[in-house]
Amino acid sequence: MLSTSAPQRAMPFASLPNMGEEEFVRWVDLLERRTGVLVPPGRKSFLVTGLRMRMRETGYDDFQTYFNEVLNGVRGAMEWATLVDRLTVHETRFFRHEPSYDLIAGEWLPEIARPGSSGAIHAWSVGCATGEEAYSLAMVLDRGLRSLGDHRMYFGVTATDISNAALSVGRIATYPRERQAEIPEPFRSEYTELQGSDSFVISESLRKRVGFALFNLLEVARAPLKQLDLIYCQNVFIYFARERRRKMLEALASRLKPGGLLVLGPGEITGFTDPSLTRVGGRQTLAYQRLG
Ligand SMILES: C[S@@+](CC[C@H](N)C(=O)[O-])C[C@H]1O[C@@H](n2cnc3c(N)ncnc32)[C@H](O)[C@@H]1O
C-alpha cells in the first residue's frame, strides 16, 4: 500500500506519457543496479509497459514522480517489491531443458548416490520463477534416487527468486491443466493430480521437498546456502550484463561442495572457466562439477 499522500486515482493507460531517452536510462540503471537485469534499448517497450501498468494501478501519471516514489525510503522499498515483478521475465516450463535433467539423472546422480551411501542432497533452483523448474528437479531427484536403490539418501530443493508474486504461485503448486503435458511420463502420472477441470496440482509428497524463498541473486555472497550438491540456474544470467555474469557464476560455484554440480542454461555464458570446476556433460548442456 502506498501512503495516503501518494496519488491513488487510476490513470487511463493511453493517457500516460511516452518515456524520453534520459528517463529510460535512469530506469534501466536502477533496475540493473538492484537486480542485475539489463534492459537493452530494443526492449524499451517491455520496461515502459511494466511501469505503466504499475503506475496506472497506483495512480501516478509521470515517470519522474513515480521514480522518486520508488526511491522514497520504506514506502519506496515496498513499492519496489511489487514493481520488480512487473519488470522481470518469468517465462518458464516444466522440464524446460531436458538434456540438463538427463545429465542429472543419468550421470551425476548415480555417482553421488552409490550403493551404501547416505546423507542428504541439497539442491538450489536459482531464479525459479513460478516453481516449474524446482518441481521438475524434485521429480528427477525423487525418482532417480528411488531407482538407484541401495542407499539412504534424502533430498530437498530450495527455490529462490526476486519476485514474490512468482514465488506465491510456486508455493500453491497449482497450474493450468494444459501445462500438464509439459511433464513427461512417468513423472506426470506419479507426481501430479488433476484438480477440477482446469488445473492440476503437484503431489503433496513432492511439495514437501521444495521450499520457496525470496532471494536476490546479486546478494549471493551473503546467501545462507552453502555446501550444496546441486545448483540449477537457467535463463537468469542471459538477462544480466556480460561483465556481471562471470563474477556471479564464480560466487554461485563457491556455494558447491566438492563433487557438486552447477547446471546452467546452454546460452548463459561463453568461455567460462574456473580452476575449482571441471566441465561435465555433452555439448547439449552447460554444466560444471566442483573438484574434490
Ligand atoms: C526467465 S525466468 C527463468 C525461470 C527458470 N529458471 C527457467 O529457466 O525456466 C527468470 C527468473 O529470474 C528471476 N530473477 C531475475 N533477476 C533476479 C535476481 N537478481 N535474483 C533472483 N532472481 C532473479 C526473475 O524474477 C525470473 O523469475
Side-chain angles (χ1 to χ4, degrees):
M1 272 279 287
L2 295 175
S3 87
T4 46
S5 64
Q8 292 295 314
R9 192 166 43 91
M11 293 296 298
F13 202 70
S15 69
L16 288 169
N18 287 324
M19 182 182 271
E21 259 334 282
E22 220 174 279
E23 200 86 58
F24 175 61
V25 170
R26 200 170 16 237
W27 279 102
V28 169
D29 180 57
L30 182 69
L31 188 66
E32 209 277 329
R33 268 188 290 115
R34 289 188 171 188
T35 69
V37 172
L38 185 65
V39 180
R43 283 180 56 78
K44 181 176 174 184
S45 64
F46 170 80
L47 181 96
V48 172
T49 305
L51 281 171
R52 281 181 164 173
M53 274 169 64
R54 186 59 193 155
M55 285 165 66
R56 187 173 183 278
E57 284 165 9
T58 47
Y60 284 89
D61 56 7
D62 81 278
F63 291 112
Q64 178 63 60
T65 310
Y66 184 56
F67 187 87
N68 292 342
E69 175 64 21
V70 164
L71 297 185
N72 186 4
V74 175
R75 201 170 78 195
M78 284 165 74
E79 176 55 17
W80 176 258
T82 307
L83 179 63
V84 79
D85 174 64
R86 311 293 167 85
L87 302 185
T88 43
V89 178
H90 305 118
E91 184 191 333
T92 187
R93 287 193 305 278
F94 290 97
F95 290 88
R96 185 170 187 174
H97 189 246
E98 286 206 46
S100 294
Y101 294 103
D102 292 344
L103 170 69
I104 292 169
E107 294 181 39
W108 178 74
L109 202 56
E111 185 189 316
I112 296 295
R114 290 200 197 96
S117 53
S118 62
I121 291 180
H122 295 292
W124 183 11
S125 164
V126 184
C128 66
T130 39
E132 290 85 336
E133 178 181 282
Y135 290 125
S136 304
L137 267 181
M139 290 180 205
V140 165
L141 291 175
D142 191 57
R143 207 179 152 76
L145 283 175
R146 228 174 333 114
S147 75
L148 290 169
D150 181 21
H151 58 77
R152 285 175 294 127
M153 293 193 83
Y154 179 86
F155 79 90
V157 180
T158 301
T160 62
D161 201 279
I162 201 171
S163 161
N164 247 325
L167 291 166
S168 303
V169 175
R171 287 190 188 105
I172 294 166
T174 303
Y175 301 91
R177 184 173 179 164
E178 62 274 14
R179 307 248 341 259
Q180 205 181 18
E182 293 169 10
I183 305 173
E185 290 292 5
F187 300 107
R188 193 189 315 159
S189 311
E190 185 165 357
Y191 299 110
T192 70
E193 293 153 27
L194 287 177
Q195 200 177 57
S197 52
D198 298 334
S199 54
F200 74 94
V201 64
I202 303 295
S203 69
E204 202 192 336
S205 62
L206 206 71
R207 277 185 350 239
K208 281 187 192 155
R209 301 299 187 96
V210 182
F212 289 89
L214 188 68
F215 180 72
N216 186 343
L217 182 50
L218 295 192
E219 287 162 19
V220 63
R222 277 182 275 155
L225 298 165
K226 43 187 118 149
Q227 289 290 304
L228 289 152
D229 298 278
L230 174 61
I231 298 179
Y232 199 97
C233 184
Q234 294 197 334
N235 304 299
V236 179
F237 287 115
I238 52 168
Y239 296 100
F240 285 21
R242 284 184 191 282
E243 314 80 75
R244 251 194 210 280
R245 297 185 195 182
R246 178 170 306 279
K247 236 168 115 187
M248 299 294 312
L249 274 175
E250 283 167 2
L252 259 190
S254 74
R255 302 276 143 175
L256 285 172
K257 66 156 74 147
L261 186 69
L262 171 66
V263 182
L264 304 171
E268 224 82 42
I269 191 164
T270 45
F272 175 65
T273 53
D274 180 316
S276 69
L277 302 172
T278 179
R279 179 86 198 266
V280 292
R283 283 163 165 267
Q284 284 183 293
T285 53
L286 184 57
Y288 301 85
Q289 192 163 16
R290 192 170 185 84
L291 298 167

